[in-house]
Amino acid sequence: MKLLRYGFPGQEKPGLLDQNGNIRDLSGIVSDIAGDVLSSAGLERLRSIDPSTLPRVEGDPRIGPCVGQVGKFICIGLNYSDHAAESGMAVPPEPIIFMKATSAICGPDDGIEIPRGSEKTDWEVELGIVIGKAAKYVEEAQALEHVAGYCVVNDVSERSFQIERSGQWTKGKSADTFGPLGPWLVTRDEIPNPQNLRMWLEVDGKRFQDGSTETMVYGAAFLVSYLSQFMSLQPGDVIATGTPPGVGMGLKPPVYLRPGNRVRLGIEGLGQQEQLVRSWNRQG
């Protein structure tokens, strides 16, 4: 299934994408794509519904972040060896973990707002893992049983805030609009091998990232197991699993986002995002 949320920010309704690409309204069945809806039983209930019996959503509504009520937005750094090399950093002996503020979450096409004082806003296409079943001290062999599905993430980053301002990476990762999720949450049964998905990103039509989850240092199952040793994972938690090479920071000379740029990105089977870059403003 391809699950989604549509409508105005903060007022999103749950929906699913039928086989013809039509949005079907799920609000008469569930209140949100969140919590128990993401459990195996919750997803099986939705899977048993004939989409043609659900109301068709007319027009071209805004698509919101594909999962609601996210408790934790966990990110993995330097998880592609070639990206680590372009960043001038070594592949870590264990996954680098940092957090992204949940207030950064937005819809896949909502746009990127460059923060006040930013000169180094960058892009990162990433595979997102959405947790469906609570996980604590799980073994790698069982880890994917705790996954509801996958989505596209743009881990937008301000490199000066992240690297040059001391302390945790979180401060360079958490500005408003720095966490586009979606367009869809694609359930795990449709992605039998999350380690073989092509991924790409373009700015103004020029392709900068063109990679595959096959080259991840630490795969999805390992990451879910690993993270569960340090914190319990809850339904709706999102894990951004790292980015392949081609980020702006790694280019020579570096290239960063400016107002008016248009960013397009996607992952095989998970859909595409498109964001117009704009400046911060006091009313933003």
Side-chain angles (χ1 to χ4, degrees):
M1 288 185 297
K2 293 180 174 66
L3 302 175
L4 56 91
R5 300 166 73 246
Y6 69 96
F8 295 111
Q11 302 176 39
E12 291 92 350
K13 294 181 179 181
L16 63 77
L17 199 72
D18 70 18
Q19 62 182 1
N20 298 315
N22 300 309
I23 298 175
R24 299 286 180 165
D25 180 36
L26 280 171
S27 58
I29 309 295
V30 295
S31 61
D32 203 355
I33 306 300
D36 290 343
V37 174
L38 300 171
S39 69
S40 295
L43 294 176
E44 191 55 42
R45 179 190 179 202
L46 297 183
R47 201 173 282 114
S48 69
I49 299 169
D50 180 355
S52 66
T53 65
L54 298 169
R56 177 176 170 177
V57 178
E58 302 296 337
D60 188 23
R62 167 188 173 267
I63 303 301
C66 59
V67 60
Q69 305 172 41
V70 176
K72 294 190 288 296
F73 196 168
I74 309 164
C75 301
I76 307 299
L78 303 178
N79 197 28
Y80 289 72
S81 58
D82 34 13
H83 170 57
E86 73 173 352
S87 302
M89 302 178 188
V91 174
E94 293 190 36
I96 292 175
I97 302 171
F98 61 93
M99 308 295 278
K100 202 173 182 84
T102 55
S103 54
I105 293 172
C106 63
D109 305 324
D110 282 351
I112 295 170
E113 181 182 272
I114 295 179
R116 184 173 66 179
S118 167
E119 294 292 338
K120 298 182 179 181
T121 296
D122 204 347
W123 58 81
E124 293 189 13
V125 59
E126 304 200 6
L127 172 68
I129 301 171
V130 180
I131 298 298
K133 175 185 175 183
K136 185 174 183 178
Y137 303 130
V138 299
E139 298 298 324
E140 185 174 353
Q142 285 77 47
L144 294 186
E145 297 173 11
H146 296 260
V147 172
Y150 305 94
C151 66
V152 180
V153 177
N154 189 355
D155 178 20
V156 187
S157 309
E158 211 301 332
R159 301 302 188 186
S160 176
F161 298 175
Q162 175 190 356
I163 298 169
E164 302 167 18
R165 298 283 296 271
S166 301
Q168 300 288 329
W169 286 7
T170 301
K171 69 177 70 172
K173 299 282 190 170
S174 294
D176 292 349
T177 75
F178 271 28
L181 300 181
W184 317 307
L185 166 58
V186 181
T187 52
R188 189 179 77 238
D189 58 296
E190 291 199 12
I191 308 294
N193 182 9
Q195 304 310 142
N196 187 28
L197 302 175
R198 179 174 164 264
M199 54 204 309
W200 56 271
L201 182 144
E202 299 174 350
V203 180
D204 294 340
K206 180 177 179 180
R207 183 153 298 192
F208 287 96
Q209 292 189 276
D210 198 349
S212 170
T213 58
E214 184 179 14
T215 64
M216 287 169 61
V217 178
Y218 302 106
F222 179 89
L223 290 174
V224 171
S225 173
Y226 182 83
L227 289 169
S228 78
Q229 312 305 310
F230 302 98
M231 64 190 84
S232 62
L233 302 175
Q234 304 297 328
D237 286 350
V238 176
I239 305 167
T241 58
T243 197
V247 300
M249 177 179 65
L251 301 174
K252 300 186 186 307
V255 175
Y256 296 111
L257 294 173
R258 296 290 180 259
N261 288 152
R262 191 169 293 277
V263 182
R264 292 181 64 247
L265 61 148
I267 298 178
E268 179 183 358
L270 302 182
Q272 300 182 19
Q273 302 183 357
E274 183 169 340
Q275 295 119 19
L276 179 65
V277 181
R278 64 182 187 272
S279 297
W280 175 86
N281 63 77
R282 293 182 184 277
Q283 287 75 41

PDB file of all heavy atoms in Angstrom, residues 30 32 40 44 48 64 87 99 153 156 175 213 221 231 242-243 247 263-264 272 278:
ATOM      1  N   VAL A  30      -9.843   5.588   9.665  1.00  0.00           N
ATOM      2  CA  VAL A  30      -8.836   5.890  10.692  1.00  0.00           C
ATOM      3  C   VAL A  30      -8.702   7.406  10.804  1.00  0.00           C
ATOM      4  O   VAL A  30      -9.026   8.146   9.868  1.00  0.00           O
ATOM      5  CB  VAL A  30      -7.462   5.264  10.358  1.00  0.00           C
ATOM      6  CG1 VAL A  30      -7.544   3.740  10.371  1.00  0.00           C
ATOM      7  CG2 VAL A  30      -6.951   5.756   9.011  1.00  0.00           C
ATOM      8  N   ASP A  32      -5.740   9.040  11.436  1.00  0.00           N
ATOM      9  CA  ASP A  32      -4.455   9.523  10.941  1.00  0.00           C
ATOM     10  C   ASP A  32      -3.602   8.336  10.537  1.00  0.00           C
ATOM     11  O   ASP A  32      -3.887   7.186  10.910  1.00  0.00           O
ATOM     12  CB  ASP A  32      -3.739  10.357  12.019  1.00  0.00           C
ATOM     13  CG  ASP A  32      -2.703  11.331  11.466  1.00  0.00           C
ATOM     14  OD1 ASP A  32      -2.454  11.310  10.242  1.00  0.00           O
ATOM     15  OD2 ASP A  32      -2.146  12.121  12.255  1.00  0.00           O
ATOM     16  N   SER A  40       1.082  -4.056  12.430  1.00  0.00           N
ATOM     17  CA  SER A  40       0.742  -5.087  11.450  1.00  0.00           C
ATOM     18  C   SER A  40      -0.763  -5.266  11.340  1.00  0.00           C
ATOM     19  O   SER A  40      -1.316  -5.381  10.236  1.00  0.00           O
ATOM     20  CB  SER A  40       1.407  -6.409  11.834  1.00  0.00           C
ATOM     21  OG  SER A  40       2.815  -6.304  11.765  1.00  0.00           O
ATOM     22  N   GLU A  44      -3.005  -4.369   8.110  1.00  0.00           N
ATOM     23  CA  GLU A  44      -3.783  -5.450   7.513  1.00  0.00           C
ATOM     24  C   GLU A  44      -5.250  -5.056   7.381  1.00  0.00           C
ATOM     25  O   GLU A  44      -5.919  -5.405   6.395  1.00  0.00           O
ATOM     26  CB  GLU A  44      -3.661  -6.722   8.355  1.00  0.00           C
ATOM     27  CG  GLU A  44      -4.208  -7.967   7.682  1.00  0.00           C
ATOM     28  CD  GLU A  44      -3.596  -8.225   6.318  1.00  0.00           C
ATOM     29  OE1 GLU A  44      -2.369  -8.056   6.164  1.00  0.00           O
ATOM     30  OE2 GLU A  44      -4.346  -8.596   5.391  1.00  0.00           O
ATOM     31  N   SER A  48      -7.258  -4.816   3.725  1.00  0.00           N
ATOM     32  CA  SER A  48      -8.455  -5.612   3.422  1.00  0.00           C
ATOM     33  C   SER A  48      -9.561  -4.789   2.774  1.00  0.00           C
ATOM     34  O   SER A  48     -10.562  -5.353   2.309  1.00  0.00           O
ATOM     35  CB  SER A  48      -8.991  -6.251   4.706  1.00  0.00           C
ATOM     36  OG  SER A  48      -9.526  -5.251   5.577  1.00  0.00           O
ATOM     37  N   GLY A  64       0.735  16.208   2.469  1.00  0.00           N
ATOM     38  CA  GLY A  64       1.465  16.482   3.701  1.00  0.00           C
ATOM     39  C   GLY A  64       2.507  15.422   3.979  1.00  0.00           C
ATOM     40  O   GLY A  64       2.701  14.484   3.192  1.00  0.00           O
ATOM     41  N   SER A  87      33.068  14.212   2.068  1.00  0.00           N
ATOM     42  CA  SER A  87      32.962  15.119   3.207  1.00  0.00           C
ATOM     43  C   SER A  87      34.287  15.251   3.951  1.00  0.00           C
ATOM     44  O   SER A  87      34.396  16.039   4.904  1.00  0.00           O
ATOM     45  CB  SER A  87      31.878  14.627   4.172  1.00  0.00           C
ATOM     46  OG  SER A  87      30.636  14.518   3.513  1.00  0.00           O
ATOM     47  N   MET A  99      19.766  13.684  16.065  1.00  0.00           N
ATOM     48  CA  MET A  99      18.325  13.882  15.994  1.00  0.00           C
ATOM     49  C   MET A  99      18.005  15.130  15.181  1.00  0.00           C
ATOM     50  O   MET A  99      18.776  16.088  15.144  1.00  0.00           O
ATOM     51  CB  MET A  99      17.733  14.031  17.403  1.00  0.00           C
ATOM     52  CG  MET A  99      18.121  12.931  18.369  1.00  0.00           C
ATOM     53  SD  MET A  99      17.492  11.304  17.927  1.00  0.00           S
ATOM     54  CE  MET A  99      15.834  11.409  18.577  1.00  0.00           C
ATOM     55  N   VAL A 153      13.061  10.924   2.181  1.00  0.00           N
ATOM     56  CA  VAL A 153      13.391  12.016   3.086  1.00  0.00           C
ATOM     57  C   VAL A 153      14.409  12.919   2.399  1.00  0.00           C
ATOM     58  O   VAL A 153      15.357  12.425   1.785  1.00  0.00           O
ATOM     59  CB  VAL A 153      13.998  11.498   4.409  1.00  0.00           C
ATOM     60  CG1 VAL A 153      14.411  12.663   5.320  1.00  0.00           C
ATOM     61  CG2 VAL A 153      13.034  10.576   5.131  1.00  0.00           C
ATOM     62  N   VAL A 156      17.552  18.064   4.680  1.00  0.00           N
ATOM     63  CA  VAL A 156      18.109  19.387   4.399  1.00  0.00           C
ATOM     64  C   VAL A 156      19.005  19.794   5.567  1.00  0.00           C
ATOM     65  O   VAL A 156      18.683  19.567   6.739  1.00  0.00           O
ATOM     66  CB  VAL A 156      16.990  20.416   4.172  1.00  0.00           C
ATOM     67  CG1 VAL A 156      17.579  21.755   3.717  1.00  0.00           C
ATOM     68  CG2 VAL A 156      15.981  19.904   3.146  1.00  0.00           C
ATOM     69  N   ALA A 175      16.056  23.246  11.232  1.00  0.00           N
ATOM     70  CA  ALA A 175      15.263  24.423  10.886  1.00  0.00           C
ATOM     71  C   ALA A 175      13.915  24.008  10.301  1.00  0.00           C
ATOM     72  O   ALA A 175      13.766  22.909   9.750  1.00  0.00           O
ATOM     73  CB  ALA A 175      16.029  25.298   9.888  1.00  0.00           C
ATOM     74  N   THR A 213      20.713   2.509  -2.400  1.00  0.00           N
ATOM     75  CA  THR A 213      20.807   2.061  -1.012  1.00  0.00           C
ATOM     76  C   THR A 213      21.705   0.834  -0.880  1.00  0.00           C
ATOM     77  O   THR A 213      22.069   0.451   0.232  1.00  0.00           O
ATOM     78  CB  THR A 213      19.413   1.741  -0.452  1.00  0.00           C
ATOM     79  OG1 THR A 213      18.800   0.732  -1.278  1.00  0.00           O
ATOM     80  CG2 THR A 213      18.528   2.973  -0.439  1.00  0.00           C
ATOM     81  N   ALA A 221      17.986  -3.085   8.395  1.00  0.00           N
ATOM     82  CA  ALA A 221      17.757  -4.014   9.503  1.00  0.00           C
ATOM     83  C   ALA A 221      18.770  -3.788  10.621  1.00  0.00           C
ATOM     84  O   ALA A 221      18.415  -3.772  11.811  1.00  0.00           O
ATOM     85  CB  ALA A 221      17.823  -5.451   9.008  1.00  0.00           C
ATOM     86  N   MET A 231      17.661   3.197  22.594  1.00  0.00           N
ATOM     87  CA  MET A 231      16.377   3.855  22.870  1.00  0.00           C
ATOM     88  C   MET A 231      15.273   2.955  22.343  1.00  0.00           C
ATOM     89  O   MET A 231      15.476   2.208  21.391  1.00  0.00           O
ATOM     90  CB  MET A 231      16.314   5.220  22.174  1.00  0.00           C
ATOM     91  CG  MET A 231      16.352   5.157  20.656  1.00  0.00           C
ATOM     92  SD  MET A 231      16.569   6.759  19.857  1.00  0.00           S
ATOM     93  CE  MET A 231      18.381   6.911  19.936  1.00  0.00           C
ATOM     94  N   GLY A 242      20.856   8.141   5.914  1.00  0.00           N
ATOM     95  CA  GLY A 242      22.096   8.615   5.312  1.00  0.00           C
ATOM     96  C   GLY A 242      21.943   8.841   3.819  1.00  0.00           C
ATOM     97  O   GLY A 242      20.969   8.416   3.200  1.00  0.00           O
ATOM     98  N   THR A 243      22.935   9.519   3.246  1.00  0.00           N
ATOM     99  CA  THR A 243      22.825   9.962   1.857  1.00  0.00           C
ATOM    100  C   THR A 243      24.025   9.512   1.028  1.00  0.00           C
ATOM    101  O   THR A 243      25.144   9.409   1.550  1.00  0.00           O
ATOM    102  CB  THR A 243      22.693  11.503   1.814  1.00  0.00           C
ATOM    103  OG1 THR A 243      22.205  11.906   0.539  1.00  0.00           O
ATOM    104  CG2 THR A 243      24.016  12.207   2.086  1.00  0.00           C
ATOM    105  N   VAL A 247      26.354  15.702  -2.467  1.00  0.00           N
ATOM    106  CA  VAL A 247      25.810  16.850  -1.737  1.00  0.00           C
ATOM    107  C   VAL A 247      26.609  18.100  -2.105  1.00  0.00           C
ATOM    108  O   VAL A 247      27.755  18.021  -2.569  1.00  0.00           O
ATOM    109  CB  VAL A 247      25.824  16.610  -0.219  1.00  0.00           C
ATOM    110  CG1 VAL A 247      24.993  15.386   0.135  1.00  0.00           C
ATOM    111  CG2 VAL A 247      27.242  16.465   0.320  1.00  0.00           C
ATOM    112  N   VAL A 263      14.403  21.955  -6.233  1.00  0.00           N
ATOM    113  CA  VAL A 263      15.012  20.674  -5.895  1.00  0.00           C
ATOM    114  C   VAL A 263      14.015  19.560  -6.203  1.00  0.00           C
ATOM    115  O   VAL A 263      12.852  19.635  -5.803  1.00  0.00           O
ATOM    116  CB  VAL A 263      15.408  20.631  -4.403  1.00  0.00           C
ATOM    117  CG1 VAL A 263      16.087  19.297  -4.062  1.00  0.00           C
ATOM    118  CG2 VAL A 263      16.305  21.807  -4.043  1.00  0.00           C
ATOM    119  N   ARG A 264      14.476  18.546  -6.920  1.00  0.00           N
ATOM    120  CA  ARG A 264      13.674  17.351  -7.189  1.00  0.00           C
ATOM    121  C   ARG A 264      14.477  16.135  -6.738  1.00  0.00           C
ATOM    122  O   ARG A 264      15.677  16.067  -6.981  1.00  0.00           O
ATOM    123  CB  ARG A 264      13.319  17.223  -8.674  1.00  0.00           C
ATOM    124  CG  ARG A 264      12.362  18.279  -9.188  1.00  0.00           C
ATOM    125  CD  ARG A 264      12.036  18.068 -10.665  1.00  0.00           C
ATOM    126  NE  ARG A 264      11.336  16.814 -10.898  1.00  0.00           N
ATOM    127  CZ  ARG A 264      11.846  15.772 -11.564  1.00  0.00           C
ATOM    128  NH1 ARG A 264      13.076  15.817 -12.069  1.00  0.00           N
ATOM    129  NH2 ARG A 264      11.126  14.678 -11.742  1.00  0.00           N
ATOM    130  N   GLN A 272       8.437  10.756  -5.549  1.00  0.00           N
ATOM    131  CA  GLN A 272       9.311  11.910  -5.751  1.00  0.00           C
ATOM    132  C   GLN A 272       8.849  13.098  -4.922  1.00  0.00           C
ATOM    133  O   GLN A 272       7.677  13.215  -4.564  1.00  0.00           O
ATOM    134  CB  GLN A 272       9.316  12.327  -7.223  1.00  0.00           C
ATOM    135  CG  GLN A 272       9.801  11.266  -8.174  1.00  0.00           C
ATOM    136  CD  GLN A 272       9.838  11.754  -9.616  1.00  0.00           C
ATOM    137  OE1 GLN A 272       9.847  12.957  -9.891  1.00  0.00           O
ATOM    138  NE2 GLN A 272       9.865  10.825 -10.552  1.00  0.00           N
ATOM    139  N   ARG A 278      13.143  29.109  -0.841  1.00  0.00           N
ATOM    140  CA  ARG A 278      12.776  30.497  -0.574  1.00  0.00           C
ATOM    141  C   ARG A 278      13.557  31.027   0.612  1.00  0.00           C
ATOM    142  O   ARG A 278      14.122  30.259   1.399  1.00  0.00           O
ATOM    143  CB  ARG A 278      11.277  30.614  -0.300  1.00  0.00           C
ATOM    144  CG  ARG A 278      10.804  29.893   0.958  1.00  0.00           C
ATOM    145  CD  ARG A 278       9.297  30.006   1.142  1.00  0.00           C
ATOM    146  NE  ARG A 278       8.842  29.459   2.411  1.00  0.00           N
ATOM    147  CZ  ARG A 278       8.517  28.198   2.628  1.00  0.00           C
ATOM    148  NH1 ARG A 278       8.605  27.322   1.631  1.00  0.00           N
ATOM    149  NH2 ARG A 278       8.108  27.787   3.827  1.00  0.00           N
TER     150      ARG A 278
END
